[in-house]
Amino acid sequence: MMSLDPATVRRIAKLARIRVEDAELPKLQADLAAILGYVEQLGEIDVTGIEPLSGAAQMALRMRADIVTDGGQTEAILANAPGREGDFFTVPKVVE
Amino acid sequence: MLTDLTIAGALAGLAARDFSATELTTAHLDAIAALNPQLNAFITVTPELALAQAAAADEARAKGHAGPLAGIPIAIKDLFCTKDVRTTAASHILDHFIPPYDSTVTAQLRAAGAVTLGKANLDEFAMGSSNMSSAYGPVENPWHRQGQATRLVPGGSSGGSAAVVAARLALGATGTDTGGSIRQPASFTGTVGMKPTYGRCSRYGIIAFASSLDQAGPMARTVEDCALMLAAMAGFDPRDSTSAERPVPDFAAACRHSVKGMRIGIPTEYAAPGMPAAITDIWQRGQNWLREQGAEIVEVSLPHTKYGVPTYYIVATAECSSNLARYDGVRFGERVEGEDLIDLYERTRAAGFGAEVKRRILLGTYVLSAGYYDAYYLRAQQVRQLILRDFTEVFSKVDALLTPTAPSAAFAIGEMMDDPVTMYLNDIFTVPASLAGVPAMSVPAGLDHQGLPLGLQVIGKHFDESSVFAVAAALERAAGFTATPSLMAGAKP
C-alpha cells in the first residue's frame, strides 16, 4: 500500500471535489496517514474465499411495479435551490 | 414535577386527566428556555408547533381517539427531515435547509400523537462520538464529575438527544446509530438508548451518513419508554429499499418477560486491555444481576471484535463519500460561487463541511479509488462478513450478549481531540453490532468513582429486540439506577 504524499492528498481532494488550501495539507496528510496506518491491521486476516458483505439487511432487495408513484413536485423540489430561474436550477456557464 | 415523569407515567397522568398535554409541553418548553442556553442541546426549538400539537393531542383525548403517544413531548435529532422545520444535520452546508417532507419516523411519531419540541444537536452529519464536530457548537453533558465544574461531552453523535433526555428537557428523543451513536451517548448521560435491527425503522427522510449501517432508534429514561417509542417508530416502509417487511412485536410487553432460563453470552474479547476498573466491575455486577434472576451466564468468543473499528472506518467513510456527493451547491444547501462549475463545487464543499466530515469524505474517496478498492474496501467488506459470522455462530448458543457500552465514562470537552483514531476507539464495543446489523441497547447500570454514569450493552439476534428489551429491563430492575445529573429541570443550581 502506497504512502500518502501531499500529491495523493491533492488528488483525492480533487476527486472528492473539496478545495484544499496549501496550509491545510500537512494536517490532512497526517490525519489520513494515521487512520490508514490504523486500518492496516485488516491485512493480517486471511479473507481467502470470503464473500464480501455489502449490507446488514437480512433480505434481498424487493422488486416493485414499474409505475409512477410521485411527481408534480416542482415547487417543493426548487424551494431550497441556491440559484433558480423559472423552473430550473442555475449553475455557472458550462459551455462556452 | 411534570418533567420528571417517564413516558409511561405521563401517558397514565394524561389518561387520568391529572394534567393536560398543554401543561406537560409548557413545563418542558420552560425547562428548555432555562437550560438550553447552557447545554446547547437543541439547534432549533419549535414552541409554537409544540403547543399546537399539544392542543391537538388534548382535543383528541377529549374526543376519545388519542394516539399511543398523544401529548408526549419529545426531541427530534436534527438528522431527521421535518416538514417545514429547518433540518441542518449540524452542518453549515444545510444552514437554511427546510425540508418539504417528513421522514417516515417523524411522521409516524406525529401520527401517534407525539409533541415535537425541536431539533436536537448532533455531530455534523452524525460523524463523531463527542458532539464536538457540530457546526452549532458542542453540547454540554448535564452530568459533571463530583465536585468539579469541568464541562463534559454527552457522547455522540446523538449527544443533543441524550443531553435533552438526561436534563429532563423532553421525555424522550429520536436518535440514529451508525456505529454507536445512540448507545455511547446513552451510556455517557445515564439514559437508555436502543439501536434496533437494521431495517426495523425506515431510513426514508433521515439524512444519510452510511446507508448500510444507519438505523434510527429511541432514547429515553427507562427501558419501557424506549419500547413505547420504538413501537411508534418501527415498521415496514416501501420508500426504504432495505426496510424490513415484518410485523412489529409488542416491545412494551417484552420488557415484562422474565430472563429465567435465558442464556446470556459474555464475549471475552470485550475485556479490553486498560479498561477502567469501574467498567470491569459494573460488567461483572451486570452478570450477577442476570444470574440472580435465573439467567445462565456463558463465556463466548467473537474472535474478530478487534477488527470492528478498522472495518467500520473503511465501510462507513466509503459510503459517506458517496452519500455526501449530493451537497454540491446546486439543488439545495449553501452555495459558494466559483469561476466555473467545478470551482463552485469545490468552494461550496470546502466552506460547507467541517474538518471531521472532510476527513471522512477524503478517506472514503481514497479507499474507493482505482488501485485501492480491493486492498481497502473489498477487504473491509470481507472482514465485515467474518464479523457477522461471529455473531451468527454465537447466537446459535446464546439468546443475548452482555458487554460494556463504552470503554470510558464521559470525557471533557476538548479531550481526545489529538488524533482521529483515539476518538474512533470510543466505538470499539458498539461498532461490531452495527456492522452485523443486530439490535443492541445501552442501559444505565451505575456510577464510576467520580459519580459519572456507566452503561451496559445488551446485544440480540436479528429482529429479536424483544429479548434485548427483556434483558435490559432485568438489568434496569436490578441496578435501581436513580442518580440524576447536576444540570436538570427543577434542580437547584
Side-chain angles (χ1 to χ4, degrees), chain B residues 263-273 275 279-280 283-284 286-287 290 296-306 387 390-391 393-395 397-405 428-430 432-433 438 440 456-460 471:
Chain B
R263 291 168 63 86
I264 308 295
I266 307 299
T268 50
E269 290 82 4
Y270 281 60
M275 192 156 76
I279 293 176
T280 315
W283 191 16
Q284 188 56 55
Q287 298 171 37
L290 295 177
E296 186 186 348
I297 303 296
V298 189
E299 209 165 87
V300 296
S301 174
L302 296 163
H304 296 90
T305 297
K306 76 163 182 159
I387 289 169
D390 281 357
F391 280 102
E393 280 172 18
V394 138
F395 281 131
K397 298 176 208 132
V398 297
D399 301 300
L401 300 165
L402 179 70
T403 78
T405 305
I428 74 174
F429 300 144
T430 47
V438 291
L456 285 173
Q457 176 178 230
V458 181
I459 307 174
V471 175

Side-chain angles (χ1 to χ4, degrees), chain A residues 31 44-45 51 62 80 90, chain B residues 98 240 307 335 359 385:
Chain A
D31 285 348
E44 70 199 40
I45 310 168
E51 186 69 22
R62 279 184 309 276
N80 282 284
T90 56
Chain B
I98 299 185
D240 170 2
Y307 302 111
R335 164 187 289 193
R359 205 149 49 211
Q385 182 76 262

Side-chain angles (χ1 to χ4, degrees), chain B residues 346-362:
Chain B
E346 292 185 344
R347 287 178 189 273
T348 293
R349 292 162 64 78
F353 294 138
E356 179 63 26
V357 172
K358 285 182 196 171
R359 205 149 49 211
R360 295 199 192 190
I361 292 174
L362 292 177

Side-chain angles (χ1 to χ4, degrees), chain B residues 57-293:
Chain B
D58 283 331
E59 199 185 318
R61 199 170 291 280
K63 287 181 179 158
H65 50 74
L69 293 178
I72 298 300
I74 58 168
I76 303 294
K77 185 180 186 179
D78 206 14
L79 199 66
F80 291 82
C81 284
T82 40
K83 187 170 164 36
D84 300 332
V85 175
R86 185 175 71 138
T87 300
T88 67
S91 178
H92 281 317
I93 211 157
L94 290 176
D95 267 343
H96 302 100
F97 177 61
I98 299 185
Y101 67 103
D102 253 317
S103 76
T104 297
V105 164
T106 51
Q108 289 185 186
L109 284 166
R110 283 183 192 174
V115 170
T116 52
L117 298 164
K119 306 298 292 288
N121 205 342
L122 65 151
D123 279 295
E124 185 178 3
F125 282 105
M127 297 178 195
S129 311
S130 65
N131 232 286
M132 294 295 296
S133 78
S134 168
Y136 292 84
V139 174
E140 179 171 343
N141 192 328
W143 291 80
H144 294 85
R145 294 176 184 136
Q146 225 152 42
Q148 291 184 29
T150 313
R151 298 164 70 219
L152 306 177
V153 303
S157 68
S158 309
S161 300
V164 158
V165 171
R168 275 104 175 119
L169 305 187
L171 295 181
T174 63
T176 61
D177 190 313
T178 304
S181 281
I182 286 175
R183 293 161 282 160
Q184 182 253 19
S187 180
F188 277 19
T189 57
T191 57
V192 187
M194 148 64 88
K195 180 200 88 75
T197 310
Y198 182 83
R200 183 63 95 178
C201 292
S202 170
R203 289 182 294 107
Y204 178 78
I206 299 173
I207 294 174
F209 159 17
S211 304
S212 82
L213 297 156
D214 296 345
Q215 183 56 207
M219 305 177 78
R221 292 194 291 269
T222 68
V223 174
E224 184 189 21
D225 284 2
C226 280
L228 293 171
M229 277 187 75
L230 183 59
M233 296 166 69
F236 173 64
D237 178 9
R239 288 176 298 187
D240 170 2
S241 62
T242 57
S243 173
E245 203 163 354
R246 284 169 177 260
V248 177
D250 185 344
F251 297 127
C255 298
R256 295 186 288 273
H257 292 168
S258 162
V259 294
K260 197 170 161 54
M262 281 181 83
R263 291 168 63 86
I264 308 295
I266 307 299
T268 50
E269 290 82 4
Y270 281 60
M275 192 156 76
I279 293 176
T280 315
D281 181 52
I282 213 110
W283 191 16
Q284 188 56 55
R285 262 187 281 167
Q287 298 171 37
N288 296 341
W289 292 333
L290 295 177
R291 197 182 283 117
E292 285 159 13
Q293 294 179 64

Side-chain angles (χ1 to χ4, degrees), chain B residues 348-378:
Chain B
T348 293
R349 292 162 64 78
F353 294 138
E356 179 63 26
V357 172
K358 285 182 196 171
R359 205 149 49 211
R360 295 199 192 190
I361 292 174
L362 292 177
L363 186 67
T365 305
Y366 182 69
V367 302
L368 290 175
S369 66
Y372 301 97
Y373 183 93
D374 285 4
Y376 289 107
Y377 186 61
L378 192 67

Side-chain angles (χ1 to χ4, degrees), chain A residues 64-75:
Chain A
R64 67 166 177 84
D66 184 15
I67 50 165
V68 175
T69 56
D70 204 349
Q73 305 276 356
T74 312
E75 277 312 311

